[in-house]
Amino acid sequence: KYVEFLKKTKSRLVVTNNKFLSVIPSQIYAIEVPNVLLSISIITSLFYPDSVNDNSDFGVSRINKNDYKNLKFGNNVLIGKNVKIGKNCTIGHNTIIEKNVSIGHNCNIGNNVVIKNSIIGNSTNILDGAILGKKGFGFFPEGNLNIRYPHIGAVIIGNNVEIGCNNTIDRGSLSNTVIGDGTFLDNQVHVAHNVKIGKNCIITAQVGFAGSSSLGNKVMIGGQAGISGHLVIGDNVKIGGGSGVIKNIPSNTKVMGYPARNIRNFLRDNKIND
């Protein structure tokens, strides 16, 4: 399904198996391997040796008031090197912001929050207990073992975003996890690696996104819905609570149920008045 990207890529090297050698453009050098996932994992680990375990930043230290003026913060706040925090931000107790994180102006960060591998826009609220930028659930089976897949992407959060309590937003694997401007996430939402959420979406409690799915703008999702991986959900889509989405959903559609289907059909089949 990625063959079309070969026509546009600026890469001079492509890792592939012999099944696809015939479709590699002549200007691209093909590196033939028996197992692409395993090979990419090995290559990525060579360039980013810490990405498999994604260990804690042991270079953090207690925040220094002189380094961050116009900032209000609680007790036991730990900050890594090269962290950028804008003006008029508030950071709660026991929060850890690891190296190279960037946070915009007028942001509110709650208590017991962990942020790493992230770029956060202006006027964004991150509530208590949220974890942003840790590695996702990336692995693949190889023989009798499950091989951990390196995650080297970031979390990119736009302006005026709300991240609820105890949300977990995973860093991307080879690309980034993105949450667009004006999007609000309720408590206990899980956003897996490489997920792209558009602008002004509303995601209510306990919704889970599997990896690499993409949402358009102004999507609304009811509580406890599950979104499978590698799906495309259009603009202005409404997904009922408790739904299981296992295929793409076009724009301006309302769905509900498991598997999720047109909401009128769901209500009719279950003899519910809409």
Side-chain angles (χ1 to χ4, degrees), residues 77 91 93 120 155 161 172 191 194 196 201 213 273:
V77 174
I91 302 176
H93 307 298
I120 299 168
V155 170
V161 172
V191 181
N194 304 336
K196 309 288 190 295
C201 296
S213 280
N273 293 326

Side-chain angles (χ1 to χ4, degrees), residues 185-205:
L185 276 62
D186 196 1
N187 300 333
Q188 297 176 326
V189 171
H190 176 229
V191 181
H193 58 276
N194 304 336
V195 168
K196 309 288 190 295
I197 298 178
K199 298 179 179 180
N200 300 311
C201 296
I202 298 175
I203 315 296
T204 55

Side-chain angles (χ1 to χ4, degrees), residues 112-115 126-127 129-134 166-170:
N112 301 303
V113 172
V114 177
I115 305 176
I126 300 174
L127 278 60
I131 299 178
L132 278 61
K134 287 288 290 183
N166 297 315
N167 277 207
T168 305
I169 303 177
D170 298 339

Side-chain angles (χ1 to χ4, degrees), residues 3 16 42 89 100 145 150 165 271:
V3 168
T16 186
I42 292 170
C89 290
N100 301 323
L145 297 175
C165 293
K271 299 179 181 180

Side-chain angles (χ1 to χ4, degrees), residues 117-119 133 152-156 170-173 175-178:
N117 304 309
S118 298
I119 299 173
I152 63 172
V155 170
I156 311 295
D170 298 339
R171 70 185 302 188
S173 55
S175 62
N176 297 321
T177 302
V178 179

Side-chain angles (χ1 to χ4, degrees), residues 19-39:
K19 179 180 178 181
F20 297 102
L21 287 177
S22 61
V23 298
I24 304 296
S26 58
Q27 72 273 17
I28 298 177
Y29 183 81
I31 302 174
E32 182 184 354
V33 297
N35 186 322
V36 173
L37 273 178
L38 179 60
S39 298

Side-chain angles (χ1 to χ4, degrees), residues 37-38 41 52-53 135 137-150:
L37 273 178
L38 179 60
S41 174
V52 173
N53 296 318
K135 73 181 291 291
F137 191 53
F139 71 96
F140 57 92
E142 175 66 19
N144 295 323
L145 297 175
N146 288 327
I147 307 297
R148 292 183 178 87
Y149 195 85

Side-chain angles (χ1 to χ4, degrees), residues 251-264:
S251 296
N252 307 306
T253 303
K254 297 180 181 179
V255 299
M256 191 170 185
Y258 188 90
R261 56 195 184 278
N262 181 280
I263 195 167
R264 289 191 177 274

